[in-house]
Amino acid sequence: MSISDWLNKFGFATPAQLKEAGIMGMNERNISLINGLNDRLLFPLVDDKLLTKRAALEHKISVPELITSISTQRDVSPLLHQLEGEEDFVTKPAKGSGGRGILVIDRLDQEFVYLSNQTTLQRNEFAQYLSNVLGGLFSLGGQPDTVMVERKVKFDKVLSRFSYQGIPDLRVIVYRGFPVLAMARLATKRSKGKANLHQGAIGVGIDLLSGKALSGVGKNKTIDTHPDTGLKIADLEVPYWMDILSLATSCYEVTGLGYLGADIVIDAEKGPTLLELNARPGLAIQVANMIGLEHRTKIVEEIYKQNPDAGKTPVTERVQKMLEKLQQSVIAE
Amino acid sequence: MLSRNILLEVPFTPDEKAKIWEIQFSFKVSPDIAATGENPIKLTLQTPKDYEIPFEILDAQNTSPGYDFTALPEEADSDYNRVAWTSTDSWDRSNIYYRILMLPKKVKNYNYGIPSDQDKLDTENNLTDQANKLKLQALLDGFHLENLDEKQIILSLLQELTTLSADQKDSLLTDLNYTRLVNLWRDLINQAGIPAFPVSGFVLEDDSTYNGVSTKTAFVINGRLNFYNPETNLIAEDPTFFILGDDRDWITEVENGSLSSLKIAVKQTSLPLSAISAIKNTNNPLAQFSLYKLPTDYRISVNMLLLLPLGAMIVVFLRVFVGIRTTGTFMPVLLALSFLEIGLLKGIAIFLTITAIGIIIRSFLNKVNILLVARIAVVIALVILIIVILSLITNALDIFGFFAVAFLPMIIIAWTIERLSIVLDEDGFKEALVQLAGSLGSAVLIFAVCQINIIKYWTSYFPEMLFMEIGLLLLLGHYTGYRLLELARFSSFVAHHKVEAKK
């Protein structure tokens, strides 16, 4: 028995096997992608969702409508009054990460706040939550934060029926201006309706060429059927797929980041809408797709080799070029 | 590092040790009424010259607050040096401490204790009662000393004197104008042509204290100093007797006051050769930068500090090569430091207890609507309160032994609770547990590494290790390979590819 067989038996891969599969490790990601391609100066733009929203609007990218935002403690009670008339909105920390600190609210009255997952909060609990957000509970390094109040996205039925309690979103990784990997994130009962993989959501790799599901993964296990909705993962097909790819790709111009993750939802009325951007997207997307990230970045490098100014070509051209190259590699296999 | 090893003889391993003698003199001086600013009280102590004695004086430390300490100028014709303490404050009664560290010389000086002044070796000059020379010679002639060697002469003289009856002794002493028999014995030996004189000092014996110096009669036989040993009734050399001077009255002198007590404490300690070389090489500029030059208490904290980068390096290693998640990047280093201070098992027990209680309190606090920063501060205050209560309880019940409250470890533990409770809030119980285990595991590993003798020794005696650490860190920082835990995380790819290959 060889060392690699022996390692595989105990649930370990050998470095050589991972290299062959084109897997990008954390260290490589941190050095080559984040340090190498993402200028730290550009981080605030993606780390602060309010700034991201503004920049996206300038580039005519669809984003959820901002109702209001507050950044000081004394604005908390005026905000509560202001929100009394509102329906279907979301409150979130502008500098939050990993979907933390987001509340989806149907409405609120003098006593209670009615959340979209059918639970209620007391009004003073909600006020405490707002003040915690401002105090930096959810922000990186606990810096003072801003509360954003956004119009709730009306999720498209095609995708949302796959998810337990709403918020199915799509994550597209854009490498040097070209889309390289995509996945859909489906909330489960275990993830408490959140679309975050390490909180128990399911990641579904999406074929860049077709927008169809490749394979599903939850907690490092392959999943064929959604445990809560009972739908077959393989039946999942993302609508407006080309629009979604273009939207994600155009975020390269918005941010200037060489390695970014665009989180996109499909609004029933507005179509593909950018939820947030991430300058340090995780590596679980490789497992969801069963495709190593390095296989894809290699393709982009080839494109740049042919045309050093490939990154400056129009968005649609870049998407077409990438899909063309992928088609070729599929045929080659 | 190499230069420190070669030039300063700092060895690379900690176990090369040498035995050194530590001699501490403590004096108490009572000032006279006459002692004023113009007539300051002054104590002088006579010490042997370094080249005279079979020891190398490594260091002489003076701790005597309120006194000015000076080494008096060396006198060429004297076998001894003198150091002096002066104080103008007549009310100052604090003790004077003087500590000498000395290392036995490899090459012994056999002239040790023998006066270099030829006059002193002249037996004529050693006679206290010059007037009685004839009487002494007559007495000597009465004993049968022919054909005896020097040692035998001394012993038989002693025997002759001690076998006299009490009346005979009295009449002999009065007749020859002596007060003590030992002085008569010494003068008889001198009269017989063997140099004999009194010397004062103390016996070098580990863990002994003496109230003042003792005086012995020394004889010069074949150019070596010999003593009479009453236990064995033999004349022999005695390397354990450390001679401070030949005249008892000259060893300590007090002007404008009197010596109310003199204690001499003798201790033998094993010091690493490295430490000795550090004390010794005072003239080498490299040695001037030795950490051994720092005050002892400060040196302890510097040694701790020097371990910090090593701990940080281990954390980097665990994160980059293994992929362990911890609460706060360098929290494990601080935790390990607190374990070093309070002990591993006790440290872990205290840490887990306080963390558990702290997190329970924190979950109650979550229900109170206050600002986040205020809540963090409240948690810290409450954790300190728990610590104080626990130390009171354990002290009263005597369970754990006393739960000692050390400042730094407690702060570190309090802070860890805060970090952990945020993780608990944001990522849930499981992630908090993973991070807690990661932190604790890394801390234990760092603790274990810092416990290794050679590591402790190297970091404290070769501060240049820091450059090696920096170099190694720069290398670690360039590692782009997979982490150990990633090999497991992405292992599904292997299975996937095997299935694909079969198709």
Side-chain angles (χ1 to χ4, degrees):
Chain A
M1 205 195 231
S2 70
I3 294 172
S4 65
D5 288 339
W6 190 77
L7 275 173
N8 294 162
K9 207 179 147 192
F10 287 96
F12 284 90
T14 63
Q17 284 169 338
L18 291 189
K19 200 80 208 163
E20 200 198 322
I23 301 292
M24 173 83 63
M26 267 310 216
N27 296 324
E28 174 84 41
R29 180 202 78 159
N30 289 344
I31 290 182
S32 306
L33 301 186
I34 296 182
N35 289 357
L37 295 173
N38 292 354
D39 192 339
R40 292 201 82 89
L41 271 176
L42 302 170
F43 280 19
L45 183 69
V46 285
D47 288 342
D48 188 333
K49 295 184 183 72
L50 213 52
L51 295 179
T52 313
K53 198 184 280 288
R54 255 176 235 150
L57 282 172
E58 277 170 31
H59 285 78
K60 305 219 162 28
I61 288 172
S62 165
V63 288
E65 179 202 336
L66 182 73
I67 297 170
T68 184
S69 68
I70 62 163
S71 46
T72 58
Q73 299 284 353
R74 65 159 190 272
D75 292 333
V76 170
S77 59
L79 179 71
L80 288 174
H81 286 290
Q82 190 191 337
L83 290 178
E84 270 167 32
E86 292 286 346
E87 273 189 10
D88 292 338
F89 56 91
V90 176
T91 53
K92 58 163 93 165
K95 292 174 191 160
S97 62
R100 284 194 286 255
I102 298 175
L103 286 185
V104 186
I105 297 163
D106 287 343
R107 63 191 175 84
L108 83 165
D109 59 25
Q110 291 296 331
E111 254 182 283
F112 293 107
V113 178
Y114 302 90
L115 304 181
S116 69
N117 62 4
Q118 312 305 322
T119 58
T120 55
L121 274 181
Q122 286 190 358
R123 201 173 146 125
N124 64 346
E125 285 176 319
F126 182 59
Q128 194 199 344
Y129 150 82
L130 291 174
S131 112
N132 279 345
V133 172
L134 294 174
L137 181 59
F138 304 104
S139 70
L140 285 168
Q143 321 153 20
D145 207 345
T146 303
V147 178
M148 287 166 69
V149 185
E150 283 180 348
R151 183 71 58 211
K152 182 179 155 189
V153 174
K154 292 188 178 64
F155 296 116
D156 179 84
K157 284 280 177 291
V158 182
L159 210 55
S160 57
R161 66 195 174 98
F162 277 90
S163 182
Y164 173 80
Q165 285 187 353
I167 343 182
D169 77 348
L170 296 154
R171 153 75 56 95
V172 181
I173 303 283
V174 180
Y175 175 78
R176 299 186 69 188
F178 290 84
V180 286
L181 279 177
M183 74 169 160
R185 295 184 296 187
L186 309 177
T188 62
K189 216 175 235 172
R190 248 189 73 209
S191 78
K192 292 180 189 125
K194 295 216 167 83
N196 218 299
L197 286 194
H198 63 249
Q199 285 173 335
I202 298 173
V204 179
I206 304 288
D207 182 18
L208 284 187
L209 290 168
S210 63
K212 285 181 185 165
L214 286 168
S215 57
V217 67
K219 234 12 199 168
N220 289 329
K221 260 197 255 163
T222 317
I223 286 177
D224 300 323
T225 320
H226 192 289
D228 306 316
T229 61
L231 291 170
K232 272 210 156 58
I233 299 292
D235 292 340
L236 190 148
E237 187 177 348
V238 181
Y240 311 106
W241 183 240
M242 284 304 134
D243 296 339
I244 289 169
L245 279 185
S246 303
L247 190 154
T249 307
S250 64
C251 291
Y252 175 62
E253 272 87 0
V254 176
T255 59
L257 293 169
Y259 175 62
L260 69 90
D263 292 349
I264 295 162
V265 288
I266 302 172
D267 189 290
E269 289 159 16
K270 294 156 94 177
T273 301
L274 178 69
L275 216 51
E276 62 180 85
L277 290 173
N278 199 319
R280 312 166 191 81
L283 299 171
I285 198 166
Q286 301 179 106
V287 185
N289 279 283
M290 276 297 153
I291 294 168
L293 186 56
E294 281 180 20
H295 280 336
R296 293 293 166 88
T297 57
K298 222 181 274 168
I299 295 176
V300 178
E301 294 304 331
E302 273 170 34
I303 296 173
Y304 271 95
K305 220 175 261 172
Q306 288 165 7
N307 176 13
D309 291 327
K312 286 172 189 153
T313 54
V315 172
T316 45
E317 212 171 288
R318 293 209 303 270
V319 175
Q320 279 313 315
K321 187 84 192 165
M322 188 68 199
L323 295 181
E324 219 170 84
K325 284 275 175 190
L326 280 174
Q327 196 86 52
Q328 283 168 11
S329 70
V330 169
I331 292 163
E333 272 175 25
Chain B
M1 264 176 88
L2 211 58
S3 61
R4 208 175 266 274
N5 179 254
I6 295 164
L7 296 179
L8 301 185
E9 299 165 38
V10 181
F12 280 130
T13 48
D15 39 31
E16 296 175 38
K17 284 188 176 173
K19 292 214 157 117
I20 65 158
W21 290 103
E22 224 179 298
I23 298 156
Q24 180 168 286
F25 298 89
S26 51
F27 309 92
K28 216 173 169 92
V29 182
S30 313
D32 286 346
I33 304 164
T36 59
E38 282 163 38
N39 301 308
I41 186 164
K42 181 178 181 184
L43 167 76
T44 55
L45 170 72
Q46 180 169 285
T47 55
K49 280 184 179 168
D50 198 7
Y51 56 83
E52 285 285 338
I53 54 173
F55 300 97
E56 184 175 358
I57 293 183
L58 297 171
D59 199 10
Q61 297 159 350
N62 161 54
T63 330
S64 43
Y67 287 90
D68 291 328
F69 175 75
T70 44
L72 300 182
E74 236 173 83
E75 288 167 41
D77 59 341
S78 165
D79 292 328
Y80 301 95
N81 291 331
R82 295 186 80 82
V83 288
W85 290 266
T86 47
S87 174
T88 49
D89 179 3
S90 58
W91 293 107
D92 194 76
R93 304 284 176 87
S94 60
N95 278 351
I96 295 171
Y97 292 100
Y98 188 58
R99 195 164 72 114
I100 296 175
L101 298 178
M102 38 182 226
L103 176 73
K105 279 178 187 164
K106 286 201 182 87
V107 183
K108 298 269 187 276
N109 177 0
Y110 292 111
N111 296 323
Y112 167 52
I114 299 173
S116 53
D117 186 354
Q118 278 304 315
D119 282 356
K120 279 193 183 163
L121 284 178
D122 186 354
T123 51
E124 286 278 308
N125 291 320
N126 291 333
L127 291 179
T128 38
D129 216 322
Q130 291 281 349
N132 287 329
K133 276 185 72 175
L134 285 176
K135 282 184 184 174
L136 283 171
Q137 189 56 48
L139 192 59
L140 211 54
D141 292 341
F143 303 132
H144 302 285
L145 301 170
E146 299 85 13
N147 303 322
L148 293 181
D149 69 13
E150 286 144 318
K151 286 184 183 176
Q152 286 166 328
I153 291 172
I154 295 166
L155 286 176
S156 59
L157 278 176
L158 181 67
Q159 205 182 349
E160 296 284 357
L161 287 178
T162 45
T163 46
L164 293 174
S165 70
D167 288 346
Q168 283 174 309
K169 278 180 194 167
D170 284 345
S171 63
L172 194 61
L173 288 175
T174 355
D175 186 28
L176 289 166
N177 202 17
Y178 279 91
T179 48
R180 295 178 67 208
L181 204 60
V182 66
N183 296 349
L184 174 59
W185 177 49
R186 190 181 62 218
D187 279 2
L188 277 172
I189 297 166
N190 273 312
Q191 188 65 37
I194 305 163
F197 46 86
V199 290
S200 296
F202 49 91
V203 179
L204 283 177
E205 195 181 31
D206 192 13
D207 279 328
S208 38
T209 49
Y210 306 100
N211 290 309
V213 293
S214 53
T215 304
K216 280 189 176 188
T217 307
F219 322 99
V220 180
I221 299 168
N222 295 330
R224 305 268 189 92
L225 215 55
N226 280 256
F227 299 94
Y228 170 67
N229 184 340
E231 278 168 32
T232 56
N233 198 31
L234 285 174
I235 306 289
E237 292 174 42
D238 184 4
T240 63
F241 193 69
F242 188 76
I243 302 165
L244 281 175
D246 47 10
D247 192 335
R248 183 190 189 99
D249 299 334
W250 271 88
I251 291 170
T252 54
E253 268 187 310
V254 185
E255 287 171 25
N256 300 313
S258 57
L259 189 65
S260 46
S261 85
L262 162 60
K263 280 205 173 70
I264 302 168
V266 180
K267 193 171 165 26
Q268 193 170 40
T269 39
S270 286
L271 262 192
L273 282 178
S274 57
I276 292 167
S277 63
I279 315 172
K280 229 159 74 175
N281 289 287
T282 40
N283 295 326
N284 192 315
L286 202 56
Q288 286 299 331
F289 287 102
S290 168
L291 293 174
Y292 195 82
K293 292 276 157 195
L294 294 169
T296 320
D297 51 341
Y298 184 65
R299 212 167 67 224
I300 293 168
S301 36
V302 167
N303 286 350
M304 272 290 217
L305 279 182
L306 286 170
L307 283 173
L308 265 176
L310 196 78
M313 199 166 79
I314 293 170
V315 168
V316 171
F317 179 83
L318 288 178
R319 287 177 82 96
V320 169
F321 283 92
V322 185
I324 283 175
R325 273 173 289 164
T326 55
T327 325
T329 317
F330 291 111
M331 198 60 92
V333 186
L334 299 178
L335 263 182
L337 275 194
S338 64
F339 291 163
L340 282 175
E341 200 142 309
I342 47 186
L344 184 63
L345 288 180
K346 204 173 160 191
I348 292 178
I350 290 173
F351 174 72
L352 289 179
T353 316
I354 296 179
T355 311
I357 300 174
I359 283 177
I360 291 167
I361 289 179
R362 164 82 202 212
S363 67
F364 279 116
L365 270 178
N366 268 353
K367 297 191 175 118
V368 188
N369 184 9
I370 54 166
L371 292 180
L372 187 69
V373 273
R375 190 154 59 220
I376 295 171
V378 170
V379 170
I380 291 165
L382 283 175
V383 165
I384 301 299
L385 186 70
I386 298 167
I387 291 164
V388 173
I389 291 172
L390 272 184
S391 58
L392 287 176
I393 292 173
T394 50
N395 190 34
L397 299 180
D398 199 21
I399 321 172
F400 258 118
F402 179 55
F403 177 108
V405 184
F407 180 69
L408 181 76
M410 291 307 151
I411 298 281
I412 292 166
I413 289 173
W415 230 265
T416 311
I417 290 172
E418 184 43 42
R419 305 276 320 212
L420 213 58
S421 52
I422 287 180
V423 175
L424 205 58
D425 278 2
E426 294 185 1
D427 300 298
F429 187 70
K430 210 180 153 197
E431 178 65 21
L433 216 59
V434 166
Q435 293 197 6
L436 179 66
S439 303
L440 214 53
S442 319
V444 171
L445 182 70
I446 296 167
F447 172 86
V449 171
C450 292
Q451 284 295 87
I452 299 172
N453 256 336
I454 187 122
I455 301 262
K456 271 199 282 196
Y457 174 81
W458 276 19
T459 52
S460 51
Y461 284 104
F462 297 99
E464 297 89 337
M465 282 270 290
L466 285 176
F467 294 109
M468 283 169 68
E469 285 163 14
I470 291 168
L472 215 58
L473 279 171
L474 291 178
L475 280 180
L476 284 184
H478 275 106
Y479 175 73
T480 58
Y482 300 109
R483 298 173 180 177
L484 186 63
L485 291 179
E486 279 176 345
L487 295 183
R489 182 187 174 190
F490 296 122
S491 64
S492 51
F493 274 78
V494 179
H496 180 78
H497 276 257
K498 275 181 184 162
V499 174
E500 295 277 292
K502 271 180 196 164
K503 279 180 191 169

